[in-house]
Amino acid sequence: MRVLIAPNAFKHSLNAMDVAVAIQEGLLASDPSFVCECFPIGDGGDGTGDLMIQKHNGTLISAEVDDPFGRKITATFGLVSNGETAVIEMANASGIHLVKPEELNPLLATSYGTGELMKLALDKGAKKFVLAIGGSATVDGGTGILRALGVRFLDAAGTELTEPETFTSLASIDVSRLDPRLSDCEVTILCDVENVLLGEEGSAAVFGPQKGATPESVKKLDASLARFAEIALTQTGKDMTLVKHGGAAGGVAAGLYAFLDARLVNGIDFFLEFTNFEKSVAEADLVITGEGSIDEQTLHGKGPYGVAFQAKKKNLPVIGLAGKIPLERNEKLDQYFDTLLAIGNGPADMATAISQTRENLVRTARQIGNMLKM
């Protein structure tokens, strides 16, 4: 039996490759005759870019850039397709994992370092950009990226604004120094959420608290993004507040849509096409996918849904593994997942469950293998 193992990362625990390897270990412990292909996936979240670079045997480029608070760090991006396409993982330069929990403050954090990576890719001759924007520490609407590429955000006195909390004073946006090479480039942004920019379901309200925003900070950030969108609409004719996915990565998606004409796409769909997933599905007899939680929200463009959708086009059975699954049967999930299994082994608090993810995956996969042999 040929088993295609295509999981997403289990957040705060294992990256997608480590999850795939654990599942493979369990299957082979049950029956060494299984033919397994590990095909870790990403839907735009942290780690997606690195997986795409690996699949294309791309070249990694290292550079010194700013972290979310302007401190110098070494970050990487990848060049694929003979250097024509730059794959940039936003978290590498502007990620929340770069910041200590007590330092988190999206009123001050910016995406400038990610813009520096884009500029370096331009210097290398890149004509296409693929940005995986998950895992950021910022809610700056992409203004940091745009500043690194030459855009200036000015208040009424002509003073340049840099920190998100100051953008309520934004009066004009000077694009005269925007890197001219971008006019010949294509920018694609992989999004794993559908949130719009502003309001109760917007980037500040939904993602701000995860990045250290207090209720008061959320209001300030939403006001700053609203002012940014207002001035952007006047100058570009594009309404950042209406675009689907615009709230992704603290509004980076909306900002680059307005000023770089970026294409905002469903992350998993793009990833699977970019990595030629269909070829692997065609050779499989069974597909195993998973991530930390699988529920009805998974069907709104999350990684396991994308995998299951492709598998069902080939009428393949699909097993979904997760730390948490619905207690009751869900007919919508049943259309894509033949079996959903929670990997936990008895009651455990969240910290314990996360620490035991690998062992639980191996054990569950071994049991799957035992059942398949029957």
Side-chain angles (χ1 to χ4, degrees), residues 181-321:
R181 295 172 293 182
L182 288 164
S183 62
D184 296 322
C185 292
E186 176 185 299
V187 180
T188 301
I189 298 180
L190 276 58
C191 306
D192 63 347
V193 298
E194 298 180 350
N195 301 68
V196 293
L197 184 66
L198 302 176
E200 292 183 1
E201 297 299 320
S203 54
V206 175
F207 306 113
Q210 301 171 14
K211 305 176 185 189
T214 64
E216 187 60 33
S217 297
V218 166
K219 293 178 183 178
K220 291 180 180 178
L221 289 166
D222 199 58
S224 289
L225 291 171
R227 182 60 177 168
F228 177 30
E230 180 183 356
I231 301 300
L233 177 61
T234 301
Q235 296 192 201
T236 70
K238 293 185 177 181
D239 192 340
M240 293 166 53
T241 68
L242 298 180
V243 62
K244 181 181 177 181
H245 305 299
V252 162
L256 300 197
Y257 157 80
F259 287 91
L260 300 186
D261 200 26
R263 184 168 62 109
L264 312 186
V265 300
N266 175 270
I268 188 60
D269 290 344
F270 184 93
F271 177 91
L272 296 179
E273 181 180 356
F274 192 80
T275 55
N276 199 19
F277 183 73
E278 187 174 358
K279 178 178 183 294
S280 293
V281 171
E283 298 172 350
D285 300 309
L286 168 70
V287 175
I288 300 178
T289 185
E291 65 179 353
S293 176
I294 294 179
D295 54 28
E296 196 166 318
Q297 285 297 113
T298 301
L299 302 179
H300 295 279
K302 295 295 185 180
Y305 166 70
V307 168
F309 181 84
Q310 293 297 325
K312 286 304 173 186
K313 284 168 52 175
K314 302 291 185 180
N315 294 314
L316 293 177
V318 179
I319 297 174
L321 304 182

